[in-house]
Amino acid sequence: MNILILGGGGREHSLAWAVKQNPKCDRLIVAPGNAGIAQLAETATINIEDGDAVASFCADNAIDFVIIGPEAPLAAGVSDVLRAAGLSVFGCSQAAAQLESSKAFTKAICDACDAPTAKYAHFTQSEPAKSYVTEQGAPIVIKADGLAAGKGVVVAMDLETAHAAIDDMLGGQFGDAGAEVVIEEFMEGEEASYFLLCDGETVLPVGTAQDHKRAFDGDEGPNTGGMGAYSPAPVLSDAIADKALNEIVKPTVTEMAKRGTPFSGVLYAGLMIKDGQPRLVEYNVRFGDPECQVLMMRLGGQILDLLLACAEGRLADVSPNWADDHAMTIVMAADGYPGSYKKGTVINGLEALPENSSEMTFHAGTTMVDSVVTATGGRVLNVTARGDSLKDAHAKAYSMIKKIDWPEGFYRSDIGYRAL
């Protein structure tokens, strides 16, 4: 089977690493890929948000199956173009992608199916939004309605911060993504990520994880795309996961089908859990990054069979085979991230790191320059390990990351502290 994965981050490196282990995979191409991906698969330069260009590439390379990694191609409707061209695709339709690309759309779905979530209001003008915030009081959460690369959320602990966030978002800080804002009540509790495959009808849970959004130890500093993650998430017990499945996810999938926009792909439910009760924070329509890295480390080659079953409407016939294990990933980022950072710095020591079924360094923002790995992004490496316990995985991952020689990079030293 010839397989194409769209994307070039740590999520896609981990997907490629897992898919490559399955004997069904004969040829693997990742577009655009990165320096780490290039060591295990072919890479290609395509505009992955241009469905026609991707479809043409698939025809030229006899591609049998396409896995769409990031949210942007899904929101751009690439999966629709590929399906219309007769390709087998893992990734939801453009219409279904609104569950991530529009927070107001998701809130309307929750209202329609009575899924528990935060109280909210939706605005396109600054002054009414500020008046609402003043009336509600702080803390309060301000969200850009559209896709903002995981950064369009401000948890405002005071009114001044909330008002400033409204002005920034509606003033163009995130472009079209911030043309509308959703303002939510501040939910207390512990946050966790629940990943489920959906084929339009069947919903199949495929794992839980927790990530660390803040840049620095102790959950201090600005929000990021994620500085590390671990799986499974202890706070998401079987009982709470079942409650989330039956009260939030399944009603959402039913409502989407009722509207004529059935959901086929991975649904990533961000949940806030308090006193055993889960409430929806938000949906994403792709695997999380860096949560995907710990899930792939635990699932391995079977992920290809699961994704194929999802794409072909056969989820009712499959189930994941979980070992009683744990995984942790630590993100190494460029100094200054999530603000401005220097590009083109050299990373040494990677050749000394182990690469096996329980220890792997997934690349995110890297490229090869004169046979040297250089940093090109904010989040650059995902040092990932699997162990019999979270403590074991933690020890392996931190032992690995200390061998990396990159003075211009930083990482958190407390990933997993909640569970440990």
Side-chain angles (χ1 to χ4, degrees), residues 176-200:
D176 290 344
E180 303 177 22
V181 296
V182 170
I183 300 175
E184 295 183 352
E185 70 169 296
F186 174 79
M187 290 193 288
E188 295 182 338
E190 191 169 349
E191 199 166 346
S193 305
Y194 194 21
F195 294 90
L196 311 103
L197 299 183
C198 313
D199 63 8

Side-chain angles (χ1 to χ4, degrees), residues 239-292:
I240 295 173
D242 284 345
K243 188 179 280 282
L245 176 65
N246 293 313
E247 295 180 6
I248 300 174
V249 179
K250 283 186 175 180
T252 297
V253 171
T254 299
E255 179 64 24
M256 292 291 285
K258 190 188 298 181
R259 292 178 178 221
T261 53
F263 190 92
S264 175
V266 62
L267 201 52
Y268 157 12
L271 303 172
M272 187 66 74
I273 299 159
K274 184 180 181 184
D275 300 329
Q277 294 294 124
R279 287 205 285 171
L280 182 73
V281 177
E282 64 182 9
Y283 280 125
N284 293 307
V285 297
R286 36 71 192 181
F287 283 107
D289 187 346
E291 295 98 328
C292 187

Side-chain angles (χ1 to χ4, degrees), residues 75-257:
V78 171
S79 66
D80 303 84
V81 176
L82 299 181
R83 286 192 182 96
L87 284 152
S88 180
V89 184
F90 177 79
C92 70
S93 67
Q94 184 177 39
Q98 291 179 91
L99 280 173
E100 177 166 1
S101 64
S102 172
K103 293 175 178 64
F105 176 86
T106 297
K107 288 296 189 182
I109 291 287
C110 289
D111 286 347
C113 67
D114 293 324
T117 186
K119 176 185 172 185
Y120 76 101
H122 175 229
F123 298 93
T124 58
Q125 299 293 324
S126 180
E127 290 311 313
K130 287 182 182 177
S131 296
Y132 178 80
V133 162
T134 301
E135 178 186 317
Q136 297 299 313
I140 199 163
V141 182
I142 317 297
K143 295 182 175 181
D145 181 64
L147 297 176
K151 297 168 190 168
V153 178
V154 174
V155 179
M157 303 309 290
D158 55 70
L159 293 180
E160 184 180 358
T161 302
H163 289 172
I166 291 166
D167 284 338
D168 288 344
M169 290 180 193
L170 292 176
Q173 181 183 23
F174 298 110
D176 290 344
E180 303 177 22
V181 296
V182 170
I183 300 175
E184 295 183 352
E185 70 169 296
F186 174 79
M187 290 193 288
E188 295 182 338
E190 191 169 349
E191 199 166 346
S193 305
Y194 194 21
F195 294 90
L196 311 103
L197 299 183
C198 313
D199 63 8
E201 294 182 4
T202 301
V203 179
L204 178 69
V206 289
T208 67
Q210 280 184 280
D211 74 337
H212 295 259
K213 290 292 187 193
R214 299 284 184 170
F216 309 124
D217 284 7
D219 291 326
E220 298 290 333
N223 260 339
T224 71
M227 293 299 294
Y230 53 96
S231 175
V235 69
L236 204 46
S237 66
D238 290 345
I240 295 173
D242 284 345
K243 188 179 280 282
L245 176 65
N246 293 313
E247 295 180 6
I248 300 174
V249 179
K250 283 186 175 180
T252 297
V253 171
T254 299
E255 179 64 24
M256 292 291 285

Side-chain angles (χ1 to χ4, degrees), residues 23-68:
K24 289 189 180 73
C25 177
D26 297 312
R27 183 186 182 199
L28 179 61
I29 307 173
V30 185
N34 59 42
I37 291 171
Q39 295 173 31
L40 62 84
E42 298 174 53
T43 59
T45 303
I46 323 169
N47 178 359
I48 66 171
E49 294 179 39
D50 182 340
D52 291 331
V54 177
S56 177
F57 180 88
C58 290
D60 291 344
N61 289 273
I63 296 299
D64 301 299
F65 186 44
V66 182
I67 299 168
I68 302 177

